[in-house]
Amino acid sequence: MRADAFLAAAAELPLRDLRDLVPAGGIVVVAPHPDDESLGCGALMAEACAREIPARLVVVSDGVGSHPSSPSHPPERLRALREAETLAAAACLGLPAAHVAFLRLPDRFVPAEGPRAEAAAEAIAAAARACGAGALFVTWEHDPHGDHRASAALARKARDLLAGVPLYAYPVWGWTLPPETEVGPAPRGARLAVAPHRDAKAAAIGAHRSQTTALIADDPQGFRLEPAMIARFLRDDEIFLQIDP
């Protein structure tokens, strides 16, 4: 199925309650980079926290690839900043800092195979066991970013360690795919309403100031989320695609 048709169909998936997606247990959100969790799963996490459903966030990469040439923010400082921003974003959504894990794999070079990938999958599985997870959520395997695809592979490995816990994917950069890209069969899954938590989600996205403002202004190639991209994720729903075993 072409990406344009797939994403149009995904936007028409039925609206569901969180407990329709995850009938029992907690949730684990796997984010390739600091900020993906707020963009793709901000309402999901806020809803879980509001209902006292156990939740965990696992951030896969160290995030230092966003401003690789900044004199003011060399890698160690940028990593610390992005982790602090993530904790601030999590707080906006109701998630305690103790429930956030940073795996610190290399941004832009997250491995999908090998010893570091196996260790990362085990860390995701450990987070799932800690909250009695009834589902995992990770970026879509067709997102046009290597770290997003690798994170999807890590979540699949973690699911295998957990004996079949359901896995859902959330598109982030998938919306930018060329329309003719083939992405597989028609989507299955559901949408979750953003409206009850739009303010919290907006605050969480805004907490990632290094990615949404000119906070780091000394790297001409530095990354910054465009306002239109942010606006997309503050629309009416979040999309979760059911991933087959």
Side-chain angles (χ1 to χ4, degrees):
M1 191 173 192
R2 286 170 48 116
D4 53 356
F6 183 97
L7 292 168
E12 298 298 325
L13 288 169
L15 276 171
R16 294 288 188 248
D17 181 79
L18 174 54
R19 276 307 186 202
D20 294 325
L21 281 170
V22 190
I27 66 168
V28 175
V29 170
V30 180
H33 309 98
D35 74 4
D36 288 318
E37 82 294 328
S38 298
L39 294 168
C41 294
L44 173 82
M45 296 169 66
E47 177 72 4
C49 292
R51 293 168 64 166
E52 299 184 348
I53 293 171
R56 298 292 188 274
L57 168 62
V58 179
V59 181
V60 175
S61 82
D62 56 17
V64 303
S66 68
H67 296 79
S69 302
S70 169
S72 66
H73 287 76
E76 287 295 318
R77 184 181 183 196
L78 182 54
R79 185 187 75 187
L81 172 62
R82 297 204 66 186
E83 290 185 0
E85 290 174 341
T86 302
L87 296 180
C92 292
L93 302 172
L95 186 69
H99 293 172
V100 182
F102 298 99
L103 303 188
R104 296 178 174 174
L105 291 173
D107 191 353
R108 297 186 292 177
F109 302 99
V110 171
E113 298 291 342
R116 299 185 78 184
E118 298 300 329
E122 180 53 53
I124 295 168
R129 296 184 191 106
C131 69
L136 306 177
F137 296 82
V138 71
T139 40
W140 189 33
E141 63 184 354
H142 293 288
D143 268 12
H145 192 301
D147 290 346
H148 288 218
R149 294 191 295 270
S151 295
L154 299 180
R156 283 181 178 271
K157 292 178 183 293
R159 178 179 61 180
D160 292 343
L161 295 171
L162 296 165
V165 169
L167 177 62
Y168 292 95
Y170 57 96
V172 176
W173 293 106
W175 300 104
T176 68
L177 281 171
E180 68 277 6
T181 305
E182 288 294 330
V183 297
R188 295 184 299 116
R191 294 176 295 136
L192 186 73
V194 165
H197 304 290
R198 184 175 280 112
D199 290 347
K201 180 171 181 173
I205 294 172
H208 292 281
R209 296 184 60 233
S210 65
Q211 310 301 296
T212 59
T213 74
L215 177 67
I216 303 176
D218 56 359
D219 184 352
Q221 297 180 331
F223 174 78
R224 184 171 174 180
L225 279 164
E226 296 293 333
M229 186 68 167
I230 295 172
R232 169 176 288 282
F233 288 100
L234 291 174
R235 292 181 184 177
D236 291 340
D237 50 52
E238 292 176 345
I239 292 173
F240 300 109
L241 306 169
Q242 186 173 335
I243 304 302
D244 292 331

